Amino acid sequence: MKKSTFLIFVAYVWTKTLLGITFHPFSTIRQVTRRPVLLPVIFSPFIGLASFFVFGRLGAFLLDFYGLRREAIAIFLSTVLISILLWQALLLYLLINFLIALWKK
């Protein structure tokens, strides 16, 4: 298999699993526990959070906002931070529950 074909396949599987985690987390996490190769996809929100902080610091360095725009940006960024953390907590909770269920079986 060519390298570019493999990268397209990996991007497709990653995106498909990530969309499944977004819209149907319960069934997708159950499928991921059956195929442990897809386990890194569960930690995608941490990757997004890391990039979120990098781009936020870069934006703070390059742009300077004052007044109402600064507060609006702060509210948006804090909302995104809280939602990503809660989403990651839900995914880890489901993963731990399914792994415990598989382990007891």
Side-chain angles (χ1 to χ4, degrees), residues 33 39 93-105:
T33 55
L39 204 56
Y93 172 75
L94 290 173
L95 177 68
I96 290 169
N97 278 344
F98 282 121
L99 288 176
I100 290 172
L102 284 175
W103 184 53
K104 286 183 179 180
K105 210 176 205 187

Side-chain angles (χ1 to χ4, degrees), residues 74-85:
I75 288 173
F76 173 74
L77 293 177
S78 54
T79 303
V80 169
L81 173 68
I82 290 170
S83 64
I84 288 175
L85 289 175

Side-chain angles (χ1 to χ4, degrees), residues 25-75:
F26 185 79
S27 60
T28 305
I29 295 292
R30 186 172 51 201
Q31 291 172 0
V32 167
T33 55
R34 292 180 185 152
R35 295 184 208 110
V37 170
L38 299 174
L39 204 56
V41 178
I42 293 175
F43 300 103
S44 291
F46 280 144
I47 297 168
L49 194 60
S51 64
F52 176 70
F53 279 118
V54 167
F55 290 132
R57 291 309 309 155
L58 206 116
F61 178 71
L62 295 176
L63 304 171
D64 211 7
F65 293 105
Y66 297 102
L68 186 61
R69 283 197 287 175
R70 184 180 185 110
E71 292 172 1
I73 291 172
I75 288 173

